[in-house]
Amino acid sequence: MAVLNRIADFAEDMTAWRRDIHAHPEIGFEEHRTSAIVAEKLESWGIAVTRNIAGTGLVGTLKVGDSSRAIGLRADMDALPMDEAGDIPHRSQIAGRMHGCGHDGHTTMLLGAARYLAETRNFDGTVNFIFQPAEEGGGGGRIMVEEGLFERFPCDQVFGIHNDSALPVGTMGIQPGTVNAASDRISIHITGIGGHAARPHNSIDPVVVGAHIVIALQTLVARRIDPIESAVLSLTQFHAGSAGNVIPETGWLNGTVRTLKPHVQDRMEELIIKIATTTAAAHGAEAVVEYERGYPPVVNAEPPCVRAAMAAEKVLGAGKIVSGLPPRMGGEDFSYMAIARPGCFARIGQAGAEKGRVPAHNPKYDFNDEILPIGASYWATLVEQELARS
Ligand SMILES: [Zn+2]
Ligand SMILES: [Zn+2]
């Protein structure tokens, strides 16, 4: 492994920053302290900072030389609304808040790269250090893009990174194509005609209609989606009625839809609405479907992945870059940035001999500080490679 020496020199500083952020976790759009620390550090290194993008988000801009080339590097800053159960010295000092996904580490790795690049300035072009709020459900990445992120801070390519407790320290997962799923919510509201349970012919029973809708929708993935594609439809809630002798007037179903490709997502939405409304109509009832799109899938473009793998190999050595990992069914709002610009979302292994093996979102999770210099070196090497002096 060839971690950049200068970065290895300040690995202890990075560990201290990371643990301080870990001890003071802030959830989506509340990252005031974290965002202020990031801004202060960037400015202290001579990097121009633009604050208040998507609320607590910010961008640090470092331009060296005359080249118009520009690159975007993104880290997320938010914690999760959960209690920490691990017994570590830097454990969360705030009840119900925890850096359970390692965004403290992502923020620190990007800060480490910023410090190095501001000192060494061994490139020609512009680096935009993108620190986003609210990845865990709030869509901070989407809001930054909607607020003109790439118009205000032009980037030819954008890169993101996430720690991975299933990959060993010293490896990274980099591959083109879909790496995270789209996650959508559905609600189906059924209206029939309520009445006496002994005289069903005078009513339209939303329980029976709902049951037909559940069964009909379960044929969707099996019969209407190409078996080579992936889709999940889980109806997880079915509510109706309040008494044994009353046919209720209404009922509702709730569920989740996961897909890996936009055209499959479009097809699922179209068919769910069609099947639910026509099944209800066939029984004389009415169904209204609310289909709420969450994060779109993260789709990595090929060219930036080739470049990212080259940079990662310079740091980690040959044979340390894993590709062909199965996509994650969890969502990631880096997707919005990767839609706006050619993007690559990489995974960095954090499973060490002892540390970094607990999976993200587990109450005993902790980011493995061992990989801070690796991640920062990857970022810095990527910039020096993409914005190489001619
Ligand atoms: Zn997470
Ligand atoms: Zn995360």
Side-chain angles (χ1 to χ4, degrees):
M1 203 186 311
V3 163
L4 297 171
N5 284 334
R6 177 67 194 121
I7 288 177
D9 287 345
F10 62 74
E12 274 184 29
D13 290 352
M14 280 196 286
T15 298
W17 306 339
R18 206 284 295 179
R19 293 184 177 188
D20 173 64
I21 296 171
H22 187 92
H24 301 91
E26 297 169 304
I27 59 165
F29 301 119
E30 294 178 7
E31 308 93 334
H32 299 286
R33 181 183 184 275
T34 311
S35 173
I37 289 172
V38 168
E40 279 163 27
K41 288 199 190 302
L42 294 174
E43 282 175 338
S44 76
W45 301 323
I47 296 171
V49 173
T50 306
R51 293 173 170 78
N52 304 324
I53 308 171
T56 41
L58 66 131
V59 175
T61 305
L62 180 62
K63 181 169 166 50
V64 174
D66 304 321
S67 170
S68 61
R69 292 172 303 178
I71 188 171
L73 312 179
R74 170 272 205 178
D76 39 15
M77 300 187 289
D78 58 319
L80 287 160
M82 62 189 283
D83 285 314
E84 181 159 10
D87 185 19
I88 49 174
H90 51 281
R91 64 176 293 170
S92 171
Q93 294 180 15
I94 303 163
R97 300 283 185 267
M98 177 192 171
H99 266 293
C101 204
H103 300 182
D104 47 348
H106 302 164
T107 296
T108 304
M109 291 190 291
L110 191 52
L111 279 175
R115 174 169 164 181
Y116 169 89
L117 291 164
E119 273 179 17
T120 53
R121 304 171 79 86
N122 183 28
F123 62 92
D124 184 15
T126 302
V127 190
N128 291 305
F129 303 97
I130 302 164
F131 291 89
Q132 78 150 77
E135 190 287 319
E136 299 282 1
R142 173 177 58 78
I143 298 172
M144 284 189 96
V145 171
E146 285 172 0
E147 290 188 4
L149 175 67
F150 294 121
E151 288 74 34
R152 295 166 72 184
F153 308 96
C155 296
D156 307 318
Q157 315 172 76
V158 64
F159 296 86
I161 201 167
H162 206 291
N163 71 92
D164 192 326
S165 301
L167 288 178
V169 169
T171 63
M172 283 180 69
I174 299 174
Q175 63 197 54
T178 303
V179 291
N180 281 81
S183 169
D184 301 337
R185 267 181 287 245
I186 50 168
S187 258
I188 302 169
H189 303 267
I190 303 156
T191 305
I193 297 172
H196 200 294
R199 293 187 287 279
H201 59 289
N202 292 331
S203 296
I204 291 176
D205 185 350
V207 175
V208 173
V209 174
H212 277 281
I213 290 174
V214 172
I215 298 299
L217 288 180
Q218 289 310 318
T219 65
L220 214 164
V221 173
R223 304 285 84 183
R224 306 293 295 276
I225 298 296
D226 183 337
I228 303 304
E229 306 288 1
S230 298
V232 178
L233 166 57
S234 290
L235 292 161
T236 52
Q237 288 172 280
F238 188 158
H239 296 266
S242 58
N245 59 352
V246 176
I247 292 172
E249 179 106 350
T250 61
W252 64 272
L253 303 164
N254 243 0
T256 185
V257 179
R258 305 291 169 110
T259 50
L260 295 175
K261 293 182 183 168
H263 75 270
V264 179
Q265 184 185 29
D266 290 345
R267 186 83 175 131
M268 288 292 283
E269 177 174 0
E270 176 200 331
L271 288 173
I272 287 166
I273 293 169
K274 197 170 180 182
I275 290 172
T277 53
T278 55
T279 301
H283 292 85
E286 190 193 10
V288 175
V289 180
E290 283 173 43
Y291 192 103
E292 190 189 333
R293 291 202 174 204
Y295 299 162
V298 178
V299 183
N300 281 343
E302 176 120 29
C305 287
V306 171
R307 308 297 298 175
M310 273 173 66
E313 195 170 299
K314 285 175 194 162
V315 176
L316 299 171
K320 298 292 184 183
I321 314 307
V322 186
S323 61
L325 294 168
R328 301 288 172 125
M329 294 317 274
E332 235 301 334
D333 76 347
F334 180 78
S335 50
Y336 295 98
M337 297 187 191
I339 287 169
R341 291 294 178 274
C344 174
F345 192 63
R347 303 213 150 250
I348 181 165
Q350 79 145 8
E354 287 162 20
K355 291 183 175 172
R357 292 180 163 270
V358 177
H361 292 214
N362 180 291
K364 292 192 172 174
Y365 170 89
D366 190 25
F367 185 87
N368 186 353
D369 293 313
E370 239 183 287
I371 69 166
L372 290 171
I374 302 175
S377 294
Y378 160 71
W379 279 140
T381 303
L382 181 63
V383 169
E384 290 179 351
Q385 171 190 284
E386 294 308 286
L387 306 180
R389 291 174 191 274
S390 50

